[in-house]
Amino acid sequence: MIKCEVSVCGTINKEAIIRTNKDGKSFMSFAMNIVLPTTSGSKVLDVSVLCDCEKNNDVSKFCVGTRLNASGTLLFKKRGENLYLNLYAEGFEFENVAAIDSIKGSMLFRGKLGKTIEEKTDKKGNKYHTFSGVSSEKVSDGFEYIWISFFDFSQVLDDAIKPETKVEIAGTLDLSFFKEKLTISSRIKSVSPYVPVANTSNQE
């Protein structure tokens, strides 16, 4: 499981429409473009936005080309080589929107660590740890996996956290492009062992 509480600053590139789910509840959907820097320039990231019509039902505010800040819960979905970003928005701001696009917020991760935890030293002589973790989702024909790069600058790791064990990590959400590919990383604030409980969710 990867669940993020975020603020997204960008431009609407697909106009808002009202839809109705199978339970008869109305919701609004639209899409945003977020331009992020890359090693060779910049690249556009698409974010699909959904929100409850009880709080937001004036589609005239959500026109193509409008800049806004949207806040809410961001979830990732991977299908094959494609990684989708879905924002379940709780609030919007149309005034005093920054000129530079961004996605900022926090991450809650539950999953399995990679095979190694490395200790490194920065230019000032401070030690830190770096490691990877993977979240899996059961789909009809197998599993999909999303990898996260973690950085422990606060030395919160202890001896109970071992490679290839299941953990719960709270930290920042940091998105960037490396060689034109979106990467997800996090500076961790806390980490603890995680014991899954039986439920109906397909995600771990």
Side-chain angles (χ1 to χ4, degrees):
M1 182 205 75
I2 304 169
K3 183 179 181 181
C4 306
E5 299 302 322
V6 300
S7 175
V8 180
C9 178
T11 304
I12 295 175
N13 70 317
K14 185 178 180 181
E15 66 183 13
I17 58 174
I18 303 294
R19 299 177 182 271
T20 303
N21 63 20
K22 60 183 180 180
D23 297 321
K25 188 174 182 179
S26 297
F27 65 94
M28 182 170 64
S29 67
F30 63 94
M32 296 175 65
N33 274 348
I34 316 299
V35 180
L36 297 179
T38 68
T39 52
S40 59
S42 62
K43 192 173 177 65
V44 175
L45 183 65
D46 292 320
V47 178
S48 297
V49 184
L50 299 174
C51 66
D52 192 334
C53 279
E54 291 182 1
K55 297 180 179 179
N56 300 278
N57 56 16
D58 186 358
V59 296
S60 65
K61 294 181 179 180
F62 300 86
C63 301
V64 173
T66 300
R67 288 190 59 75
L68 77 162
N69 288 317
S71 58
T73 301
L74 181 70
L75 302 178
F76 297 91
K77 183 173 75 173
K78 190 171 186 293
R79 294 295 182 268
E81 295 299 316
N82 298 315
L83 182 62
Y84 301 98
L85 281 68
N86 299 313
L87 176 65
Y88 297 86
E90 293 290 335
F92 302 99
E93 295 180 2
F94 296 90
E95 298 181 359
N96 301 317
V97 178
I100 299 176
D101 293 356
S102 63
I103 299 181
K104 300 177 181 179
S106 61
M107 174 193 296
L108 178 64
F109 168 91
R110 290 174 182 164
K112 186 177 180 180
L113 294 186
K115 294 182 178 180
T116 60
I117 298 175
E118 296 184 70
E119 184 178 74
K120 297 185 177 182
T121 304
D122 64 19
K123 294 180 180 179
K124 296 182 179 180
N126 300 312
K127 294 185 181 299
Y128 67 96
H129 294 96
T130 179
F131 54 92
S132 61
V134 62
S135 174
S136 61
E137 179 186 2
K138 181 72 171 67
V139 295
S140 59
D141 55 350
F143 286 87
E144 294 285 0
Y145 302 95
I146 299 177
W147 286 89
I148 312 293
S149 297
F150 291 102
F151 298 89
D152 173 25
F153 295 107
S154 302
Q155 299 292 312
V156 299
L157 288 181
D158 57 35
D159 293 338
I161 306 301
K162 303 291 185 183
E164 298 187 288
T165 58
K166 293 182 178 180
V167 296
E168 178 175 292
I169 296 175
T172 62
L173 170 67
D174 302 303
L175 299 179
S176 61
F177 282 98
F178 180 72
K179 294 183 178 179
E180 305 301 312
K181 184 177 181 180
L182 180 66
T183 61
I184 310 171
S185 60
S186 178
R187 290 162 287 152
I188 69 174
K189 297 181 179 179
S190 67
V191 57
S192 59
Y194 173 65
V195 180
V197 295
N199 57 46
T200 57
S201 173
N202 290 332
Q203 291 191 342
E204 176 181 86

